[in-house]
Each structure stands twice: as structure tokens, then as C-alpha cells.
Amino acid sequence: TDTDTADEAVRATCDDATICKRFATSKGYWKDSCLQYFVRNVGERKAPEINRGYYARVKGVNLLLDAFLEKTEGHCQVINLGAGLDTTFWRLKDENLLPRKFFEVDFPTVVARKIHSIKTKPPLSKPIIDVHSTDSLLLESHVLDSDRYCILGADLRDISSLDEKLKKFQLNPELPTLLLSECVLVYMTPSQSSNLVHWAAETFHTAMFINYEQVNMSDRFGQVMIENLQRRQCTLGGVELCQSLDSQKERFLKTGWEHANALDMMTVYGVLPQDDVAR
Ligand code: SAM
């Protein structure tokens, strides 16, 4: 059906992100030794704007995430919504910054691919086993569940099943919770993403939500992105809703969040550690 084709194109976007990150890290923009296990080859050259954009995105999100982990001294949980092939779990393990439990959710087919890579590549599986206390680690094609890391297949548009699955794997609504979505809400309709953001607001006692996505699709980059997605038959749900930083904030303030702040990436670039930016 058309929906299947559109969903398939959305699922493929996680490869775009990983391919771009693989190239940027091969040039030393930042370090990530796990990407090679998800994308074997470095691939063709990317424009400096793409590399810098990914650098600012990764560093910016890490800065907020690490601040949350430090503030809660790790007595918290993280839920990466639409995580794709993201490698944050391994970075946090490496840097001794793991939360009590790190959850990831994506479509079952994406999750199955990720779990397969973990199963077959010791540099990915060893760190998970290292922080797991028993012999029994749940490893199925669409679920991985260990003490500190859980990867689940679910559709983020189906809130009740999402909630049920997360709770089945010891999601704790009382624990300070960081929700993260990077380039994910934009693929849903405004009402679907509002439902998700609303669920997050009402489910957790104490929570912070980091959302990264494109706004102002009327500029040249926005147009290029829309054309790209149209060619691949993706629909872009959030476009009408989030034309500006104010409408991004509104999306949260209208769904039960007490505070919201939105920064454009030029501002973020300006507040990243400037010696690293200069490097
Ligand atoms: N967050 C990752 C990153 O920044 O590297 C991946 C970003 S990728 C552009 C978007 C991801 O969102 C894809 O992995 C896609 O499968 C996932 N996604 C989009 N809509 C989803 C939905 N309704 N349910 C589950 N996952 C979804």
C-alpha cells in the first residue's frame, strides 16, 4: 500500500544519518568507533556543510544529554524515540555515564537490523554484556533487553502499544526521564507527534524532552530536503506545524509541558566549546 511505501522510505532515513555520521567521523569531526559496525564503508565525500551540521547536531544533543545525566547522577532513564542506528549507548558506556536504563524505540524492521549487528559484532555486544548481571539476556529478533540497554520495535504513532511495551521492560515513570527524538517527529502528522509529546508529558513524574528537527522548510535547504523526501515518497508530517521556533515551543506547551525552549542551530554552533569548533 501507499502507507507501506511511505513507511519504508522513512525507515531508510536512519541509513542516511549513519552514512553521514560515518563520513564526518572518518574526517575527525568527532569520534565514534561504533559506526563502522553499522555502515562498513566510509562512502562518498559529503559537503562541509553536511559534516558541520552533523557535528553541531551530535555535539549539541550530547551536551544536553550529558548535563541531564550529570544532574541526576545517572539515577535516571533515557528513551531515544526513533533511534535508528544511533550509537549513544556505547559512548555513554565508554565514558562511564550510563543511566540506570537506556531505551531505544524504532520500527521493528530497523530494530531487527540493529539487533542483528549487535549479535554478530563483539565490539557492540561486549559492552552490553559487561554491564549485565545475569546469564539471561533477552535477545529476540525485535527485542533486546538487558539490565542497562533495551531496544524495542514499535510504531511511535501507536501510543498505547508503545506504553505497554516500554512498561513490560521496566520503564519506571517515577525515575527522572530524558526523552530524545532526532529527526523523527517530522515524519509524523502534527496530531500524531502531539500525541507522542503529550504521552511523554503525562507519563513521567520528572522529564525533559530533547527534540531536534528541521524548521522553516521554506528556505533553500528546506526545499532540497522536501524534494529529496518526495522523490523517495516520504511524507513530511510536521511541516505545517513547525514553521518556526515559536511553533516548536507551542507544540510542547500545548501538550502539558511546563517549559519549552527552542534554539536554531546557528545559535547552538555558537555555544559549543569554541576550541573544538575552531579545530
Ligand atoms: N534518531 C536517529 C539519528 O538521529 O541518527 C535516526 C534518525 S532517522 C532520520 C529517523 C528514524 O525515525 C528512522 O530510524 C525511522 O525508522 C524512525 N521512525 C520514524 N517514524 C517512526 C515511527 N512512526 N515509529 C517508529 N520509528 C519511526
Side-chain angles (χ1 to χ4, degrees):
T1 66
D2 286 353
T3 320
D4 291 339
T5 317
D7 282 359
E8 189 46 47
V10 170
R11 286 191 277 273
T13 61
C14 73
D15 289 312
D16 296 345
T18 312
I19 290 166
C20 290
K21 288 175 188 173
R22 178 89 165 95
F23 184 81
T25 54
S26 80
K27 292 290 173 215
Y29 280 81
W30 72 96
K31 287 197 175 72
D32 187 330
S33 60
C34 288
L35 289 166
Q36 58 182 311
Y37 304 115
F38 294 111
V39 182
R40 191 188 302 259
N41 300 316
V42 166
E44 48 181 85
R45 182 183 174 274
K46 300 282 184 287
E49 291 88 338
I50 302 283
N51 297 324
R52 286 189 195 187
Y54 272 94
Y55 164 81
R57 162 174 163 189
V58 168
K59 289 284 170 177
V61 169
N62 286 352
L63 216 66
L64 292 172
L65 172 61
D66 293 1
F68 187 89
L69 291 165
E70 275 159 33
K71 188 143 203 148
T72 57
E73 297 175 342
H75 298 300
C76 64
Q77 58 198 354
V78 175
I79 310 173
N80 190 343
L81 302 165
L85 304 175
D86 189 89
T87 55
T88 303
F89 171 83
W90 291 277
R91 178 182 72 83
L92 296 179
K93 161 73 173 72
D94 228 41
E95 296 179 0
N96 223 347
L97 280 175
L98 276 183
R100 290 248 196 105
K101 195 156 180 176
F102 192 93
F103 293 88
E104 292 185 351
V105 182
D106 207 298
F107 282 120
T109 49
V110 174
V111 163
R113 280 180 49 204
K114 189 166 192 171
I115 291 177
H116 179 76
S117 297
I118 293 172
K119 254 189 198 169
T120 51
K121 299 185 167 114
L124 296 179
S125 53
K126 191 174 175 297
I128 300 174
I129 296 164
D130 280 352
V131 288
H132 186 73
S133 59
T134 64
D135 294 339
S136 56
L137 188 148
L138 180 73
L139 198 57
E140 289 170 2
S141 62
H142 298 105
V143 193
L144 179 156
D145 187 47
S146 67
D147 286 359
R148 309 295 285 277
Y149 192 18
C150 174
I151 311 178
L152 285 178
D155 188 331
L156 299 169
R157 296 166 297 191
D158 181 349
I159 301 293
S160 58
S161 128
L162 172 71
D163 187 72
E164 189 187 308
K165 286 181 183 171
L166 284 166
K167 285 181 180 146
K168 189 172 155 202
F169 294 105
Q170 288 82 48
L171 180 84
N172 178 358
E174 302 304 317
L175 213 52
T177 302
L178 181 83
L179 297 117
L180 172 62
S181 60
E182 273 187 76
C183 295
V184 173
L185 302 186
V186 75
Y187 298 108
M188 297 177 210
T189 67
S191 78
Q192 288 163 344
S193 59
S194 284
N195 286 343
L196 184 62
V197 169
H198 179 239
W199 165 81
E202 69 173 12
T203 300
F204 302 100
H205 186 263
T206 305
M208 171 165 140
F209 199 125
I210 305 173
N211 178 44
Y212 171 96
E213 74 184 342
Q214 304 80 347
V215 292
N216 187 15
M217 290 292 184
S218 59
D219 71 3
R220 194 178 69 80
F221 281 112
Q223 288 306 315
V224 171
M225 177 171 167
I226 288 172
E227 281 162 25
N228 249 322
L229 290 165
Q230 280 169 346
R231 213 172 47 229
R232 299 164 58 172
Q233 296 183 288
C234 279
T235 49
L236 213 52
V239 174
E240 295 149 71
L241 184 73
C242 288
Q243 290 292 358
S244 67
L245 295 180
D246 280 337
S247 54
Q248 279 285 356
K249 285 192 258 183
E250 275 298 295
R251 164 195 258 169
F252 285 85
L253 295 172
K254 275 188 189 152
T255 52
W257 290 82
E258 282 168 30
H259 306 283
N261 201 356
L263 303 175
D264 69 57
M265 288 308 288
M266 290 309 290
T267 308
V268 171
Y269 203 64
V271 298
L272 291 175
Q274 289 302 299
D275 50 343
D276 200 38
V277 170
R279 174 186 65 80

